[in-house]
Amino acid sequence: MVKTEKFWTFVFLGFVLLLHPVTVFGQVNSGNSNYEPQSGQSGKDVVWVPTPHQLVDVMIRMANLTSNDYLVDLGSGDGRIVIAAAKKGIKAAGVEFNPDLIEFSKKNAKSEGVADKTEFVQADFFEYDMSKATVITMFLLTDINRRLKPTLLELKPGTRIITNTFSIDDWNYDEKEELNDNSISWKTAYMWIVPAKVEGTWKFEGGEMTLAQTYQKVTGIMKIGNISYPITDGRLRGDVLSFTCNSEFKITCTVNNRNMKGTSEREGKSRPWEATKQ
């Protein structure tokens, strides 16, 4: 999808130059109550181009929001994603460096009747504490996503990260949706689910296993007695780990810090299974 940072920066800037050849190179924050943002205006880290409303709807749907969720939009612009989330009944926050966009977003939220469910914070998103978020949305360039990756990976397992168009370095996405509309320039959404940390040695009744992890992909060896078996098809979806051992039985379990608890299935029969990290 994403070829190189240089390639996509060129495309991104080229697109907004066609729309607004002047504002791309700078816009002074006016503090004017009649302020209207312009697609392509300059920002701290990227020029601002709004996510199309059609893709906002896709991103919100992909998040599969519940009443327990808290969404944070990094580089929230005019607040459209935050407002869309709030309309689903959840609390949502936008992090934006431009104070005019902050005030504009607050007015939009008020006019849409969701001011009580939204918060707009003027801040650098590299410094913002997003640890309470269960959903992160963003429309940022690949290089910025790469710099944010270490912070994103430390979020609570199961946190959904949804981007417009751009990837997160070498971390493969869990889901992808694309609008079938050629009139829209930005029409692809990707979702990652923060995986639990499972790398290391785990003890279980009758043996132990050693796991290696690359994001949501898990490999390893299970040892029972003096015999070692390969672990295959290992995958994390948030805090849920599933894998196959020796092509014979499948384990599905929930990871809770240093404990795993779930079921082991073999030949159509299942039984409880649990392990503890050493």
Side-chain angles (χ1 to χ4, degrees):
M1 186 277 298
V2 173
K3 295 182 179 180
T4 65
E5 179 68 20
K6 185 180 291 185
F7 170 83
W8 275 111
T9 302
F10 176 80
V11 171
F12 194 89
L13 289 173
F15 173 75
V16 295
L17 275 168
L18 288 174
L19 292 175
H20 302 281
V22 175
T23 57
V24 140
F25 296 104
Q27 177 169 322
V28 177
N29 294 337
S30 63
N32 192 327
S33 61
N34 296 319
Y35 169 81
E36 289 284 340
Q38 299 295 313
S39 177
Q41 70 184 43
S42 63
K44 180 179 180 295
D45 295 287
V46 293
V47 295
W48 177 70
V49 175
T51 295
H53 286 290
Q54 299 94 317
L55 193 64
V56 171
D57 292 340
V58 170
M59 294 169 75
I60 294 297
R61 186 177 71 251
M62 290 177 77
N64 194 24
L65 298 172
T66 73
S67 59
N68 294 322
D69 279 316
Y70 179 59
L71 180 145
V72 172
D73 186 30
L74 303 180
S76 55
D78 62 3
R80 62 182 60 189
I81 292 180
V82 173
I83 291 168
K87 285 183 174 181
K88 296 295 183 180
I90 74 160
K91 292 283 188 178
V95 183
E96 172 58 54
F97 197 76
N98 184 323
D100 284 337
L101 281 171
I102 290 289
E103 293 306 313
F104 186 79
S105 298
K106 289 179 179 178
K107 290 180 181 178
N108 286 346
K110 185 176 180 180
S111 67
E112 294 290 340
V114 291
D116 61 328
K117 291 187 176 297
T118 60
E119 179 184 16
F120 294 95
V121 181
Q122 184 187 357
D124 183 333
F125 48 66
F126 285 110
E127 299 175 1
Y128 178 78
D129 179 8
M130 61 186 85
S131 61
K132 294 181 180 179
T134 60
V135 178
I136 299 285
T137 56
M138 51 195 193
F139 184 16
L140 305 170
L141 293 172
T142 305
D143 182 61
I144 297 174
N145 293 350
R146 176 186 58 79
R147 291 162 60 193
L148 284 168
K149 182 178 70 172
T151 300
L152 297 173
L153 283 166
E154 289 301 318
L155 295 175
K156 183 180 178 180
T159 301
R160 289 89 79 200
I161 301 162
I162 305 171
T163 72
N164 173 349
T165 302
F166 297 99
S167 68
I168 306 180
D169 198 28
D170 60 345
W171 183 5
N172 292 329
Y173 58 82
D174 289 286
E175 295 182 21
K176 170 186 175 182
E177 288 200 30
E178 188 167 5
L179 291 169
N180 186 23
D181 187 345
N182 292 329
S183 68
I184 299 175
S185 297
W186 312 102
K187 57 183 181 179
T188 305
Y190 296 89
M191 183 170 77
W192 291 258
I193 302 174
V194 176
K197 293 178 172 61
V198 299
E199 187 162 288
T201 300
W202 297 76
K203 291 274 190 180
F204 59 91
E205 184 179 355
E208 68 176 34
M209 62 182 182
T210 301
L211 301 178
Q213 178 178 2
T214 304
Y215 305 118
Q216 64 269 62
K217 184 179 179 181
V218 177
T219 58
I221 296 292
M222 179 177 283
K223 188 175 181 181
I224 302 175
N226 294 321
I227 303 176
S228 295
Y229 303 97
I231 288 173
T232 58
D233 303 321
R235 190 169 183 85
L236 281 155
R237 189 173 176 87
D239 61 356
V240 177
L241 172 65
S242 62
F243 62 88
T244 301
C245 180
N246 197 36
S247 302
E248 292 184 7
F249 60 92
K250 183 175 182 178
I251 289 175
T252 303
C253 58
T254 300
V255 182
N256 183 7
N257 196 9
R258 304 185 68 85
N259 297 287
M260 294 181 185
K261 193 170 185 179
T263 59
S264 171
E265 184 174 339
R266 184 177 185 179
E267 297 178 348
K269 298 180 180 180
S270 64
R271 63 182 182 87
W273 185 90
E274 57 185 289
T276 303
K277 193 172 186 180
Q278 301 303 293

